Amino acid sequence: MTIKKARKIAIANEKGGVGKTAMAINLAAALTLEGKNVLVVDMDPQHNATIGLGVAINDEMENIYHLISDPRASHAQDSVCRTKWKGLDLIPSHMDLSGAEIEMVDEEGRENRLKEVLSDIEDAYDFIIMDTPPSLSLLTINVFSAADEVLVPCQTHPYAFKALGDLFDTISEVQEEIHPELKISGIIPTFFDRRTRVSRGILEKLHTDQRYKDLVFESTVRVNSAIAESSDIGKPVVFCRTRSYGAQDFMAVASEYLRRK
Ligand SMILES: Nc1ncnc2c1ncn2[C@@H]1O[C@H](COP(=O)(O)OP(=O)(O)OP(=O)(O)O)[C@@H](O)[C@H]1O
Ligand SMILES: [Mg+2]
């Protein structure tokens, strides 16, 4: 008998507000609609993925902070929350996570904490999707170390395009120093607005740049207010506004991901 092992996907970009969290929760949701079992791990102290999946956390609940700060004292399973949707689970985050980095600074194996934590539960899922904070911190390094691959949402804006180079350099360093098998499996253009020259121009650059062109998804995530509105009410757009551009785009991203894999 072969034991199923989840594919672990980091959603990362050091630039803030490029659509990482929207991608994490909606790609996860879209994959469940394809019949997959998915766990979202919220590794951002801002805990936007937790909010966006409608999970209300309180101080008594086990969350990712407990797992990361003392993996031997906690069990990953105790931190897993079921969401309202079949096949979609979450390990929630909490503001306390921002302190974990300082607490772990001198500890041995600090960059492998999340990897250890997930090894206990990964056979229960097809995919584990990890959301990251908008900075290169020990939290993001933990995600890279635990991941098989990185998916990069890139806002179709000049600053975001410029920041992509820094992210690729960071990932090269991670590959050299801690995780040679880590691969970048895709760049997904986000906040695409066909009406603006800037947005079209950056999409064109992504598709022609030697470093990026083979990684860029054909699918884009267009600017769509339903995405923000649905995360505000704690529901992925693919579940609650099924006819919106946002829902259509994330479904297309998920099926392209499954095809490319
Ligand atoms: N394609 C889109 N169109 C319109 N709004 C979007 C789109 N994608 C995301 N948003 C909204 O834009 C805001 C920023 O997106 P999101 O939180 O996903 O970015 P992020 O990269 O995770 O940000 P951070 O770096 O702070 O974690 C959120 O309010 C989100 O709901
Ligand atoms: Mg985010």
Side-chain angles (χ1 to χ4, degrees), residues 20-22 44 46 48-49 131-134:
K20 293 182 289 294
T21 302
D44 184 353
Q46 298 180 97
N48 292 337
D131 191 23
T132 57

mmCIF file with all atom_site columns, all heavy atoms in Angstrom, residues 20-22 44 46 48-49 131-134, ligand 2:
data_model
loop_
_atom_site.group_PDB
_atom_site.id
_atom_site.type_symbol
_atom_site.label_atom_id
_atom_site.label_alt_id
_atom_site.label_comp_id
_atom_site.label_asym_id
_atom_site.label_entity_id
_atom_site.label_seq_id
_atom_site.pdbx_PDB_ins_code
_atom_site.Cartn_x
_atom_site.Cartn_y
_atom_site.Cartn_z
_atom_site.occupancy
_atom_site.B_iso_or_equiv
_atom_site.pdbx_formal_charge
_atom_site.auth_seq_id
_atom_site.auth_comp_id
_atom_site.auth_asym_id
_atom_site.auth_atom_id
_atom_site.pdbx_PDB_model_num
ATOM   1  N  N   . LYS A 1 20  ? -1.670 37.236 -2.309 1.00 0.00 ? 20  LYS A N   1
ATOM   2  C  CA  . LYS A 1 20  ? -1.237 35.920 -1.774 1.00 0.00 ? 20  LYS A CA  1
ATOM   3  C  C   . LYS A 1 20  ? -2.381 35.220 -1.039 1.00 0.00 ? 20  LYS A C   1
ATOM   4  O  O   . LYS A 1 20  ? -2.679 34.049 -1.291 1.00 0.00 ? 20  LYS A O   1
ATOM   5  C  CB  . LYS A 1 20  ? -0.067 36.093 -0.773 1.00 0.00 ? 20  LYS A CB  1
ATOM   6  C  CG  . LYS A 1 20  ? 1.215  36.573 -1.375 1.00 0.00 ? 20  LYS A CG  1
ATOM   7  C  CD  . LYS A 1 20  ? 2.320  36.671 -0.323 1.00 0.00 ? 20  LYS A CD  1
ATOM   8  C  CE  . LYS A 1 20  ? 2.133  37.793 0.667  1.00 0.00 ? 20  LYS A CE  1
ATOM   9  N  NZ  . LYS A 1 20  ? 2.225  39.155 0.085  1.00 0.00 ? 20  LYS A NZ  1
ATOM   10 N  N   . THR A 1 21  ? -2.982 35.939 -0.099 1.00 0.00 ? 21  THR A N   1
ATOM   11 C  CA  . THR A 1 21  ? -4.009 35.307 0.733  1.00 0.00 ? 21  THR A CA  1
ATOM   12 C  C   . THR A 1 21  ? -5.235 34.939 -0.096 1.00 0.00 ? 21  THR A C   1
ATOM   13 O  O   . THR A 1 21  ? -5.793 33.842 0.059  1.00 0.00 ? 21  THR A O   1
ATOM   14 C  CB  . THR A 1 21  ? -4.385 36.236 1.904  1.00 0.00 ? 21  THR A CB  1
ATOM   15 O  OG1 . THR A 1 21  ? -3.190 36.492 2.647  1.00 0.00 ? 21  THR A OG1 1
ATOM   16 C  CG2 . THR A 1 21  ? -5.429 35.616 2.802  1.00 0.00 ? 21  THR A CG2 1
ATOM   17 N  N   . ALA A 1 22  ? -5.630 35.841 -0.999 1.00 0.00 ? 22  ALA A N   1
ATOM   18 C  CA  . ALA A 1 22  ? -6.772 35.527 -1.871 1.00 0.00 ? 22  ALA A CA  1
ATOM   19 C  C   . ALA A 1 22  ? -6.458 34.269 -2.679 1.00 0.00 ? 22  ALA A C   1
ATOM   20 O  O   . ALA A 1 22  ? -7.322 33.401 -2.865 1.00 0.00 ? 22  ALA A O   1
ATOM   21 C  CB  . ALA A 1 22  ? -7.066 36.713 -2.791 1.00 0.00 ? 22  ALA A CB  1
ATOM   22 N  N   . ASP A 1 44  ? 0.791  33.641 8.525  1.00 0.00 ? 44  ASP A N   1
ATOM   23 C  CA  . ASP A 1 44  ? 0.935  35.091 8.607  1.00 0.00 ? 44  ASP A CA  1
ATOM   24 C  C   . ASP A 1 44  ? 0.274  35.578 9.899  1.00 0.00 ? 44  ASP A C   1
ATOM   25 O  O   . ASP A 1 44  ? -0.916 35.314 10.106 1.00 0.00 ? 44  ASP A O   1
ATOM   26 C  CB  . ASP A 1 44  ? 0.253  35.720 7.375  1.00 0.00 ? 44  ASP A CB  1
ATOM   27 C  CG  . ASP A 1 44  ? 0.430  37.224 7.322  1.00 0.00 ? 44  ASP A CG  1
ATOM   28 O  OD1 . ASP A 1 44  ? 0.965  37.807 8.288  1.00 0.00 ? 44  ASP A OD1 1
ATOM   29 O  OD2 . ASP A 1 44  ? 0.027  37.820 6.305  1.00 0.00 ? 44  ASP A OD2 1
ATOM   30 N  N   . GLN A 1 46  ? -0.877 38.302 10.525 1.00 0.00 ? 46  GLN A N   1
ATOM   31 C  CA  . GLN A 1 46  ? -2.072 39.105 10.192 1.00 0.00 ? 46  GLN A CA  1
ATOM   32 C  C   . GLN A 1 46  ? -3.325 38.226 10.130 1.00 0.00 ? 46  GLN A C   1
ATOM   33 O  O   . GLN A 1 46  ? -4.434 38.730 10.099 1.00 0.00 ? 46  GLN A O   1
ATOM   34 C  CB  . GLN A 1 46  ? -1.931 39.764 8.816  1.00 0.00 ? 46  GLN A CB  1
ATOM   35 C  CG  . GLN A 1 46  ? -0.802 40.753 8.648  1.00 0.00 ? 46  GLN A CG  1
ATOM   36 C  CD  . GLN A 1 46  ? -0.795 41.332 7.220  1.00 0.00 ? 46  GLN A CD  1
ATOM   37 O  OE1 . GLN A 1 46  ? -1.318 42.402 6.993  1.00 0.00 ? 46  GLN A OE1 1
ATOM   38 N  NE2 . GLN A 1 46  ? -0.191 40.630 6.265  1.00 0.00 ? 46  GLN A NE2 1
ATOM   39 N  N   . ASN A 1 48  ? -5.010 36.731 7.838  1.00 0.00 ? 48  ASN A N   1
ATOM   40 C  CA  . ASN A 1 48  ? -6.077 37.038 6.876  1.00 0.00 ? 48  ASN A CA  1
ATOM   41 C  C   . ASN A 1 48  ? -6.689 35.779 6.253  1.00 0.00 ? 48  ASN A C   1
ATOM   42 O  O   . ASN A 1 48  ? -7.874 35.763 5.922  1.00 0.00 ? 48  ASN A O   1
ATOM   43 C  CB  . ASN A 1 48  ? -5.556 37.954 5.763  1.00 0.00 ? 48  ASN A CB  1
ATOM   44 C  CG  . ASN A 1 48  ? -5.228 39.329 6.285  1.00 0.00 ? 48  ASN A CG  1
ATOM   45 O  OD1 . ASN A 1 48  ? -5.756 39.744 7.309  1.00 0.00 ? 48  ASN A OD1 1
ATOM   46 N  ND2 . ASN A 1 48  ? -4.340 40.035 5.618  1.00 0.00 ? 48  ASN A ND2 1
ATOM   47 N  N   . ALA A 1 49  ? -5.901 34.721 6.103  1.00 0.00 ? 49  ALA A N   1
ATOM   48 C  CA  . ALA A 1 49  ? -6.456 33.486 5.540  1.00 0.00 ? 49  ALA A CA  1
ATOM   49 C  C   . ALA A 1 49  ? -7.458 32.871 6.529  1.00 0.00 ? 49  ALA A C   1
ATOM   50 O  O   . ALA A 1 49  ? -8.486 32.316 6.136  1.00 0.00 ? 49  ALA A O   1
ATOM   51 C  CB  . ALA A 1 49  ? -5.342 32.494 5.205  1.00 0.00 ? 49  ALA A CB  1
ATOM   52 N  N   . ASP A 1 131 ? -0.012 29.979 3.383  1.00 0.00 ? 131 ASP A N   1
ATOM   53 C  CA  . ASP A 1 131 ? 0.025  31.419 3.117  1.00 0.00 ? 131 ASP A CA  1
ATOM   54 C  C   . ASP A 1 131 ? 1.178  32.020 3.914  1.00 0.00 ? 131 ASP A C   1
ATOM   55 O  O   . ASP A 1 131 ? 1.457  31.590 5.039  1.00 0.00 ? 131 ASP A O   1
ATOM   56 C  CB  . ASP A 1 131 ? -1.311 32.045 3.550  1.00 0.00 ? 131 ASP A CB  1
ATOM   57 C  CG  . ASP A 1 131 ? -1.455 33.476 3.060  1.00 0.00 ? 131 ASP A CG  1
ATOM   58 O  OD1 . ASP A 1 131 ? -0.792 33.852 2.060  1.00 0.00 ? 131 ASP A OD1 1
ATOM   59 O  OD2 . ASP A 1 131 ? -2.246 34.242 3.663  1.00 0.00 ? 131 ASP A OD2 1
ATOM   60 N  N   . THR A 1 132 ? 1.839  33.010 3.337  1.00 0.00 ? 132 THR A N   1
ATOM   61 C  CA  . THR A 1 132 ? 3.021  33.594 3.982  1.00 0.00 ? 132 THR A CA  1
ATOM   62 C  C   . THR A 1 132 ? 2.841  35.100 4.214  1.00 0.00 ? 132 THR A C   1
ATOM   63 O  O   . THR A 1 132 ? 2.053  35.741 3.518  1.00 0.00 ? 132 THR A O   1
ATOM   64 C  CB  . THR A 1 132 ? 4.280  33.407 3.103  1.00 0.00 ? 132 THR A CB  1
ATOM   65 O  OG1 . THR A 1 132 ? 4.039  34.000 1.819  1.00 0.00 ? 132 THR A OG1 1
ATOM   66 C  CG2 . THR A 1 132 ? 4.623  31.947 2.919  1.00 0.00 ? 132 THR A CG2 1
ATOM   67 N  N   . PRO A 1 133 ? 3.622  35.644 5.161  1.00 0.00 ? 133 PRO A N   1
ATOM   68 C  CA  . PRO A 1 133 ? 3.549  37.091 5.389  1.00 0.00 ? 133 PRO A CA  1
ATOM   69 C  C   . PRO A 1 133 ? 4.320  37.861 4.298  1.00 0.00 ? 133 PRO A C   1
ATOM   70 O  O   . PRO A 1 133 ? 5.121  37.275 3.577  1.00 0.00 ? 133 PRO A O   1
ATOM   71 C  CB  . PRO A 1 133 ? 4.229  37.274 6.756  1.00 0.00 ? 133 PRO A CB  1
ATOM   72 C  CG  . PRO A 1 133 ? 4.979  36.036 7.024  1.00 0.00 ? 133 PRO A CG  1
ATOM   73 C  CD  . PRO A 1 133 ? 4.511  34.963 6.096  1.00 0.00 ? 133 PRO A CD  1
ATOM   74 N  N   . PRO A 1 134 ? 4.085  39.164 4.206  1.00 0.00 ? 134 PRO A N   1
ATOM   75 C  CA  . PRO A 1 134 ? 4.750  39.954 3.161  1.00 0.00 ? 134 PRO A CA  1
ATOM   76 C  C   . PRO A 1 134 ? 6.156  40.401 3.553  1.00 0.00 ? 134 PRO A C   1
ATOM   77 O  O   . PRO A 1 134 ? 6.491  41.581 3.456  1.00 0.00 ? 134 PRO A O   1
ATOM   78 C  CB  . PRO A 1 134 ? 3.818  41.166 3.025  1.00 0.00 ? 134 PRO A CB  1
ATOM   79 C  CG  . PRO A 1 134 ? 3.199  41.317 4.376  1.00 0.00 ? 134 PRO A CG  1
ATOM   80 C  CD  . PRO A 1 134 ? 3.091  39.943 4.959  1.00 0.00 ? 134 PRO A CD  1
HETATM 81 MG MG  . MG  B 2 .   ? -1.863 37.997 2.947  1.00 0.00 ? 2   MG  B MG  1
#
